[in-house]
């Protein structure tokens, strides 16, 4: 498995048999289980899944090893079958190419060969005698261990050790290669039409514990089905607009860079974000207006969705009306003053403000097809998530942290709130189910960007319950009705308990 992973790293990382099986597990996992994994495991869900697949594989191969000591041919057939099963997972990838089976072929050679080597080494050890005789004339060596058995046993241990070292080196080497391939060349952001002024300093510089006004790229949440970041060559990558359009258009990476790009400050939210959750981030995005590209293609009169496809065949459905209503939807090439990181969609991704990511933020996008919902469905809508997914009004308490112990005296309650497409007008805090008190708001970067907030508090000893809610500029107050993320986003008022002493 390790050698196959190394081979995949040199070719197409996603063709690694272990990753292909893990991806198949993701696709087959029921939605409630996926929600639990995102909620409880966060960004650790992928390593845990891969680790689980490895452990299950080791368990299977341990059983095969026992069988092989008695029936070597059956053991070889079983381990070959296990590799071929992984190969089937590779072959079912949406954009499968025959070359993707090369890592599987490597495993098909190395796996049975390793099994034969170990089995014969153990057989030699057994033949050398393990009962205190040399296996020929019945004489014992000093200590009751035959010299031949000692030598063969030493060979077995050395063989195991060498295989372990080689396996670890191959696995680590594969990861090093993948990470080196994700490093971007010295690309710079394209020229920007009407650059925005620099974002102001946030409240985090004054009040500890409040989330940064701008989420750093390395801290930005990432939720997707990819177990390895796609390695896309910007020189061969293209973006195609087809379907219900007057003319099919294809743009290269340089085509998009040479256009006058725009900047927009936009907060993205994952639909899996629980009330008070961390799956939300705010950044300055650089790219090409999506509506501008669609108008060049000529939007037909039948389509009601944009079916976007990424470089590995993953699909997302975006309501066409949401892109054509004047909001700052874009094909983003940059993030926070840098070229879009590979982990966040390089070379390009969709950013549609006001919509949850699963319908408006396709990463590694390569095709935009204008079609109808009754003619084509996407990955998440096939799993019964809502078709339309406007981001709900929400607010979060960052400080003091839930269940924390803080000293008595003057402090602050603070956090962030968002009301996309309408803007935050007011944030209110309630202490111990008393009256709602208006909080102070931080800097304003537009209706699609979150607002920081804080409320000074004279904290008295004891246990206290804190709650927060936001009101948008249309006068809509954050709903107190509790709802889980499935199928169209969570709702409810966040309440936390802290102890003052």
């Amino acid at each position: 498995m390790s050698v196959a992973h190394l081979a995949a790293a040199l070719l197409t990382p996603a063709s690694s048999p272990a990753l292909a099986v893990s991806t198949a597990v993701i696709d087959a996992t029921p939605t409630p289980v996926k929600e639990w994994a995102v909620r409880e495991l966060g960004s650790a869900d992928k390593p845990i899944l891969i680790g689980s697949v490895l452990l299950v594989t080791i368990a299977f191969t341990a059983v095969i090893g026992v069988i092989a000591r008695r029936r070597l041919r059956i053991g070889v057939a079983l381990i070959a079958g296990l590799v071929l099963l992984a190969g089937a997972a590779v072959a079912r990838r949406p954009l499968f190419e025959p070359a993707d089976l090369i890592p599987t072929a490597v495993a098909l050679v190395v796996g049975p060969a390793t099994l034969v080597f170990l089995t014969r080494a153990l057989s030699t050890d057994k033949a050398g005698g393990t009962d205190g005789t040399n296996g020929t004339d019945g004489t014992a060596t000093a200590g009751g261990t035959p010299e031949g058995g000692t030598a063969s046993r030493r060979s077995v241990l050395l063989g195991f050790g060498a295989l372990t070292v080689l396996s670890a080196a191959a696995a680590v080497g594969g990861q090093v290669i993948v990470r080196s391939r994700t490093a971007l060349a010295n690309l710079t952001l394209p020229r920007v039409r009407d650059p925005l002024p620099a974002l102001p300093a946030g409240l985090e510089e004054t009040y500890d514990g409040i989330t940064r006004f701008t989420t750093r790229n390395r801290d930005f949440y990432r939720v997707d089905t990819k177990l390895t970041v796609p390695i896309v060559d910007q020189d061969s990558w293209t973006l195609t607009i087809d379907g219900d359009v007057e003319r099919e258009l294809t743009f290269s990476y340089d085509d998009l860079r040479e256009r006058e790009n725009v900047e927009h400050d936009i907060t993205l939210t994952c639909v899996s974000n629980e009330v008070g959750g961390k799956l939300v981030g705010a950044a300055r995005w650089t790219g090409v207006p999506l509506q501008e590209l669609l108008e060049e293609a000529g939007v037909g009169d039948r389509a009601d969705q944009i079916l976007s496809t990424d470089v590995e065949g993953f699909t997302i459905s975006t309501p066409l009306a949401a892109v054509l209503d004047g909001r700052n939807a874009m094909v983003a090439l940059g993030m926070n003053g840098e070229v879009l990181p590979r982990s966040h969609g390089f070379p390009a991704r969709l950013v549609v403000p006001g919509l949850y990511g699963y319908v408006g933020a396709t990463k590694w996008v390569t095709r935009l097809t204008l079609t109808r919902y009754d003619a084509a469905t996407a990955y998440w809508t096939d799993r019964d998530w809502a078709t339309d997914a406007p981001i709900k009004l929400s607010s979060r308490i960052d400080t003091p942290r839930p269940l924390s112990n803080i000293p008595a005296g003057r402090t602050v309650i603070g956090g962030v709130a968002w009301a996309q497409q309408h803007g935050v007008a007011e944030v209110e805090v309630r202490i111990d189910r008393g009256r709602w008190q208006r909080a102070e708001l931080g800097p304003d970067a537009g209706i699609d960007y979150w607002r920081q907030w804080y409320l000074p508090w004279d904290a008295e000893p004891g246990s206290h319950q804190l709650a927060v809610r936001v009101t948008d500029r249309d006068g809509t107050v954050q709903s107190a009705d509790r709802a889980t993320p499935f199928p169209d986003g969570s709702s409810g008022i966040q309440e936390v308990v802290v102890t003052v002493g």
Side-chain angles (χ1 to χ4, degrees):
M1 291 181 70
S2 298
V3 174
H5 186 68
L6 176 61
L10 295 167
L11 301 169
T12 303
S15 65
S16 167
L19 297 183
V21 171
S22 299
T23 299
V25 172
I26 290 178
D27 292 343
T29 300
T31 296
V33 178
K34 289 182 181 179
E35 277 301 294
W36 175 87
V38 172
R39 181 178 66 252
E40 300 297 332
L41 304 178
S43 59
D45 59 343
K46 294 177 178 64
I48 290 175
L49 171 62
I50 295 173
S52 300
V53 169
L54 293 178
L55 289 175
V56 170
T57 303
I58 289 171
F60 273 119
T61 52
V63 174
I64 292 173
V66 172
I67 295 172
R69 292 196 65 185
R70 293 166 174 78
R71 297 287 188 274
L72 180 56
R73 290 183 180 180
I74 294 177
V76 169
L78 289 174
I79 201 165
L82 192 62
V83 173
L84 291 174
L85 188 63
V90 174
R92 68 182 294 273
R93 295 174 58 243
L95 299 181
F96 165 75
E97 296 181 358
D100 292 341
L101 287 176
I102 292 177
T104 302
V106 170
L108 196 57
V109 173
V110 175
T114 303
L115 179 63
V116 170
F117 165 76
L118 291 173
T119 304
R120 288 180 174 173
L122 288 169
S123 298
T124 301
D125 176 58
K126 183 176 180 181
T130 59
D131 57 355
T133 68
N134 62 11
T136 55
D137 60 2
T139 58
T141 61
T145 302
E147 294 178 358
T150 300
S152 59
R153 188 174 300 115
R154 185 181 301 115
S155 299
V156 171
L157 293 176
L158 288 174
F160 269 112
L163 287 172
T164 301
V165 171
L166 289 172
S167 177
V172 172
Q175 288 303 99
V176 169
I177 291 171
V178 169
R179 289 177 181 176
S180 66
R181 292 182 65 188
T182 61
L184 292 171
N186 295 322
L187 296 174
T188 58
L189 285 177
R191 65 181 183 274
V192 175
R193 176 199 315 164
D194 300 325
L196 296 174
L199 285 166
L203 294 180
E204 75 274 8
E205 298 191 6
T206 305
Y207 303 107
D208 290 338
I210 295 180
T211 298
R212 293 175 58 92
F213 190 46
T214 300
T215 308
R216 293 173 295 196
N217 290 358
R218 66 176 183 268
D219 298 330
F220 211 93
Y221 79 91
R222 179 189 163 205
V223 176
D224 52 56
T225 62
K226 304 291 190 253
L227 293 175
T228 183
V229 175
I231 309 297
V232 185
D233 176 19
Q234 70 270 15
D235 294 329
S236 59
W237 173 89
T238 58
L239 175 67
T240 298
I241 301 177
D242 60 7
D244 184 22
V245 294
E246 295 176 4
R247 64 195 68 84
E248 181 176 317
L249 298 178
T250 297
F251 302 93
S252 69
Y253 186 64
D254 285 340
D255 289 337
L256 297 181
R257 285 175 52 82
E258 290 169 1
R259 302 172 72 102
E260 286 195 343
N261 281 224
V262 296
E263 290 181 330
H264 295 302
D265 298 322
I266 299 172
T267 296
L268 295 185
T269 308
C270 178
V271 72
S272 296
N273 194 48
E274 296 278 358
V275 173
K278 301 292 185 180
L279 300 179
V280 56
R284 172 163 291 180
W285 305 92
T286 304
V288 180
L290 178 55
Q291 185 170 351
E292 195 174 281
L293 297 177
L294 295 180
E295 288 174 350
E296 287 185 21
V299 179
D301 56 5
R302 300 184 306 278
D304 58 8
Q305 71 152 321
I306 301 174
L307 185 71
S308 53
T309 306
D310 77 4
V311 294
E312 294 185 351
F314 177 85
T315 55
I316 278 180
S317 292
T318 304
L320 180 59
V323 174
L324 300 179
D325 65 3
R327 70 182 71 194
N328 295 324
M330 61 196 305
V331 177
L333 306 178
M335 181 180 183
N336 287 331
E338 301 176 2
V339 172
L340 196 65
R342 288 196 189 276
S343 59
H344 290 292
F346 179 85
R349 69 175 293 169
L350 291 188
V351 175
V352 183
L355 297 182
Y356 285 116
Y358 82 98
V359 295
T362 313
K363 290 177 281 191
W364 312 287
V365 65
T366 189
R367 183 175 296 274
L368 303 173
T369 301
L370 274 63
T371 182
R372 296 190 57 79
Y373 282 108
D374 57 11
T377 56
Y379 184 91
W380 292 115
T381 47
D382 282 339
R383 286 155 177 78
D384 297 326
W385 287 86
T387 301
D388 298 319
I391 297 174
K392 297 179 182 179
L393 279 171
S394 194
S395 54
R396 185 180 74 204
I397 297 173
D398 292 332
T399 184
R401 297 176 63 84
L403 303 178
S404 61
N405 290 273
I406 62 174
R410 190 72 166 178
T411 186
V412 298
I413 306 168
V416 290
W418 52 96
Q420 287 208 351
Q421 291 293 284
H422 300 285
V424 173
E426 181 180 79
V427 174
E428 297 171 290
V429 177
R430 185 177 63 195
I431 302 172
D432 295 331
R433 299 194 177 276
R435 64 179 181 84
W436 287 102
Q437 304 177 53
R438 188 166 185 170
E440 297 291 332
L441 295 178
D444 187 358
I447 61 173
D448 291 322
Y449 208 76
W450 63 15
R451 297 286 297 272
Q452 297 169 309
W453 59 268
Y454 74 98
L455 178 74
W457 179 35
D458 291 317
E460 298 180 353
S463 179
H464 298 278
Q465 188 176 57
L466 312 177
V468 63
R469 70 181 183 185
V470 61
T471 302
D472 70 18
R473 295 177 184 177
D474 287 346
T476 303
V477 181
Q478 179 179 340
S479 174
D481 296 336
R482 300 288 296 184
T484 60
F486 183 79
D488 60 357
S490 65
S491 67
I493 301 296
Q494 184 189 16
E495 294 183 285
V496 305
V497 174
V498 298
T499 300
V500 178

